[in-house]
Amino acid sequence: MKYNILEMPDIVYGNIDPYSKDAIHINEDLIVGSGIYLDFYSDSPSLSIKYELKYKPVKKFQCPVLTNGFSYCVRDQNGKIIKQANCYSWKGGAQEAIIDRRASSLLHYLFFLPSFNLISSFIVEIDDRFKLYSNRPHSNPIVTIGSSLVSGEGCSFPNSVFNNILVQKLDKNIVGLQISKIPKERMQQILGYLEPSFIIVDQTFVSSSELEKTTQLLKSLSNKYRTIAIRSGKRLFRRNRIGNEKTICCLPHLDEYSFIKKGLLNDRGHYILSEMITKELCSYAKK
Amino acid sequence: MLKSNGMVFFDIFELKDCIFGAPNIVNNSFKKIYDYSQLLSESNPSDLSYRYFSIANEQTSGIRLRFKTESKKIALSFEVVRKAAYERVMISASSGFDVYYVKKNRYYHLTVIAPDEQILCYDEVFELPDNDYVEIYFPLYNIVKRMSVGVIDGCLIQPMPYKNDKKIVFYGNSCTQGAGASRSGNAYPNIVSRLLSIDVVNYAFNSACHGETWIADELSTKGANAFVIDYQFNSSIEEFKKRFESFYLCIRDKNKRTPIILVDTLSQNQYNQHISTVYRKNKSKDPYLFYVELSKLLDNIDRGILSIDGIHISDIGGPLLAESIARIIKRYL
């Protein structure tokens, strides 16, 4: 049985409108593919993926697996990781066997799609008589708004993007919105549609225009939604004090190993950022 | 010397005193091992292993340019050989030059100069803050065909040797070469170099690291003050069991009181078991033998985030490995 994810909005997350007819391509406000993930259960003994995308030569701060591959993680019913890997094809597509077992058992699958690339097709193939089950409703996601970091800039593979780490750490639906790609009115429209349970505004390494835009956004959001803004230094923190101060927190000092260059976090930086957001959300939940 | 746009360019092969970590500079190219004809006696030139070795032998991982200049601007102009990206290595690491400056004995990362995929020739100019000297790390996974450094006309480039004449020799595979790092300064041997302010030579041969005795012979004569052996997966387990201990013993034979550090892999496997066995067998009679257990060192970090493929550690784990190695070596310098 083959499932084209373009026709399976129930299992597609991280996009803005999962019930659009064109589930993958609806993410028009982001670079297509960035931040999209599949989250489902299946009891099929075998599962494989056949995908096609446009092979894109990588830019200087990118890795082919990030832009032309995908990451996945398979867990059993106790949450134990059975398989975790990254797939890549320089031909821009391939068929990958993910699970091939003799007996049927219910497994949880997470697939993180490539960043900064177009996906032509992504087909999940399972044994006949078995099904895919969606994991959770799409409503009330945690929304992260920020620079190109939310799309995975600086990472070497999709699994290391801070948003995708959060999906696994928090076990919540996460939607990432890149501020520079979305006009102000459209952003309000999107947030109104998504009804976020929490908004995290990442102001750590935004450009000056992005800082202005996110600061304005924060002002308008803080009364409507539970919001956390993350900033990178004391100076920035003092200069732009806004809204409820308790909702603003500073990223701890990052060592030189966390950057590819100034303002561009690598896998280590994304990991530290995800740890910090998790900590903040946990402490917020305790209050 | 070439002049252009108010800058004067020096070919790096005219700056040999500024180059570190390059054991052999032959006919304007870098070679880790000058004569590897012994490899030919074991394989023929069409063998994959021979081809991989020939390429890795000229890749510039571990090479650094250290110099003083009063110029406030620097230009790098270079040509590399490979235009396609390695699937698991970021372009900034495989083909990029990673620039640091040093002020009052402290390293500051400045920028990475790297081309996009498919681009072979590239140049870029950048501003240089007030500094004592500059250190530039060469690409980890590419061969540098041509490179020149430009400074403002009238300024000089002067060599900046290390304060001590000590040296660490690394021998290993793709991990040692820096496959998981996001830029060349983050390859763990280069971090060790910065942590200890010491010269390193990185004999990393990705996909062609087989622990041959003739290589051990070659390395053991380099006058190193410490050795790091990070050799595992390129050999089959049978070949590894045959060669690993004799590789270590060969180096030990000619370097009686030099620290030798064995590094294992991220996951529990037969290679790690064998390294552990060799370590336990020899430690009682060899006080200068050490063992860094990578799997234990990074035990509390999710493997799916730590590595792109379960083998090559990213920048999350690299600095931790470098710090462990530096801690051991520091006691003996």
Side-chain angles (χ1 to χ4, degrees), chain B residues 197-327:
Chain B
S197 286
I198 199 170
D199 193 9
V200 298
V201 185
N202 192 350
Y203 291 92
F205 301 96
N206 72 88
S207 307
C209 172
H210 290 280
E212 295 92 337
T213 311
W214 67 269
I215 292 188
D217 275 335
E218 167 97 16
L219 302 192
S220 60
T221 57
K222 296 294 173 193
N225 299 85
F227 290 92
V228 178
I229 302 174
D230 182 10
Y231 147 56
Q232 314 94 10
F233 289 130
N234 292 167
S235 284
S236 66
I237 187 65
E238 293 76 23
E239 183 185 84
F240 184 73
K241 283 181 176 174
K242 253 188 234 169
R243 291 183 175 180
F244 183 76
E245 187 173 18
S246 44
F247 189 89
Y248 143 69
L249 288 173
C250 181
I251 291 176
R252 170 57 73 227
D253 189 44
K254 290 176 186 145
N255 299 270
K256 302 283 184 208
R257 295 164 70 86
T258 308
I260 297 178
I261 300 166
L262 312 178
V263 179
D264 71 5
T265 70
L266 204 50
S267 53
Q268 286 305 337
N269 52 51
Q270 291 185 68
Y271 295 87
N272 285 11
Q273 282 169 15
H274 186 68
I275 295 168
S276 172
T277 306
V278 169
Y279 171 74
R280 280 187 278 113
K281 183 178 154 192
N282 290 282
K283 181 62 188 170
S284 58
K285 53 191 177 201
D286 183 353
Y288 299 102
L289 179 64
F290 302 93
Y291 178 25
V292 176
E293 288 179 85
L294 197 58
S295 50
K296 283 191 183 164
L297 182 71
L298 306 173
D299 195 33
N300 59 349
I301 304 171
D302 178 357
R303 292 299 189 260
I305 297 165
L306 192 57
S307 165
I308 197 165
D309 53 8
I311 295 170
H312 303 103
I313 51 168
S314 71
D315 293 329
I316 300 170
L320 287 170
L321 173 58
E323 282 161 15
S324 304
I325 291 170
R327 260 197 305 275

Side-chain angles (χ1 to χ4, degrees), chain A residues 58 60 86 256 259-260 266, chain B residues 100 117 122 183 308 315:
Chain A
V58 291
K60 57 182 78 175
N86 295 286
E256 56 131 320
F259 296 91
I260 298 180
N266 58 18
Chain B
Y100 281 77
E117 190 178 18
Y122 190 74
R183 52 186 170 82
I308 197 165
D315 293 329

Side-chain angles (χ1 to χ4, degrees), chain B residues 44-104:
Chain B
N44 69 61
S46 61
D47 278 358
L48 264 185
S49 183
Y50 183 83
R51 279 163 55 196
Y52 286 147
F53 186 93
S54 314
I55 295 167
N57 194 41
E58 293 190 40
Q59 289 175 336
T60 52
S61 180
I63 297 179
R64 279 143 289 134
L65 198 61
R66 284 165 58 95
F67 59 90
K68 273 200 275 195
T69 181
E70 61 273 35
S71 178
K72 297 292 173 201
K73 265 198 300 190
I74 298 271
L76 294 187
S77 173
F78 59 89
E79 183 177 355
V80 288
V81 168
R82 185 184 163 106
K83 64 180 179 182
Y86 282 88
E87 65 178 78
R88 294 168 196 169
V89 189
M90 294 188 91
I91 290 273
S92 44
S94 63
S95 303
F97 288 83
D98 200 6
V99 184
Y100 281 77
Y101 66 92
V102 179
K103 178 94 183 148
K104 291 181 181 168

Side-chain angles (χ1 to χ4, degrees), chain A residues 55-66 68 75 81 84-86 88 90 154-157 159-160 165 168-169 253 255-262 266-269 271, chain B residues 85-92 98 100 107 109-112 114-118 122 124 182-183 186 191 194-195 300-305 307-309 314-317 319 323:
Chain A
Y55 182 85
K56 201 182 162 201
V58 291
K59 298 286 181 191
K60 57 182 78 175
F61 302 122
Q62 294 176 341
C63 180
V65 177
L66 178 76
N68 297 292
R75 291 174 190 265
I81 294 173
Q84 191 171 35
N86 295 286
Y88 159 84
W90 63 270
C155 285
S156 49
F157 52 109
N159 203 28
S160 64
I165 300 174
Q168 295 169 84
K169 273 182 182 283
H253 172 71
D255 55 32
E256 56 131 320
Y257 311 124
S258 306
F259 296 91
I260 298 180
K261 62 173 199 164
K262 195 177 177 188
N266 58 18
D267 291 342
R268 181 184 176 89
Y271 175 67
Chain B
Y86 282 88
E87 65 178 78
R88 294 168 196 169
V89 189
M90 294 188 91
I91 290 273
S92 44
D98 200 6
Y100 281 77
Y107 281 88
H109 184 244
L110 186 59
T111 189
V112 182
D116 292 335
E117 190 178 18
Q118 311 292 351
Y122 190 74
E124 196 171 314
S182 60
R183 52 186 170 82
N186 269 7
I191 298 176
R194 286 201 301 281
L195 288 173
N300 59 349
I301 304 171
D302 178 357
R303 292 299 189 260
I305 297 165
S307 165
I308 197 165
D309 53 8
S314 71
D315 293 329
I316 300 170
E323 282 161 15

Side-chain angles (χ1 to χ4, degrees), chain A residues 7-77:
Chain A
E7 292 154 10
M8 290 289 292
D10 282 357
I11 63 166
V12 181
Y13 295 81
N15 51 10
I16 299 162
D17 181 0
Y19 292 100
S20 159
K21 280 180 188 172
D22 202 0
I24 297 299
H25 292 273
I26 50 79
N27 207 349
E28 61 190 9
D29 298 310
L30 294 172
I31 297 167
V32 175
S34 306
I36 292 178
Y37 62 99
L38 314 181
D39 185 349
F40 59 88
Y41 283 89
S42 178
D43 49 2
S44 171
S46 74
L47 186 143
S48 63
I49 296 293
K50 192 176 177 187
Y51 71 102
E52 269 179 54
L53 43 80
K54 189 183 171 194
Y55 182 85
K56 201 182 162 201
V58 291
K59 298 286 181 191
K60 57 182 78 175
F61 302 122
Q62 294 176 341
C63 180
V65 177
L66 178 76
T67 53
N68 297 292
F70 64 91
S71 304
Y72 67 88
C73 178
V74 186
R75 291 174 190 265
D76 66 14
Q77 282 175 291

Side-chain angles (χ1 to χ4, degrees), chain A residues 267-284:
Chain A
D267 291 342
R268 181 184 176 89
H270 274 259
Y271 175 67
I272 294 170
L273 185 59
S274 75
E275 291 268 288
M276 190 226 171
I277 293 172
T278 307
K279 202 172 135 192
E280 285 299 324
L281 286 174
C282 290
S283 69
Y284 201 98

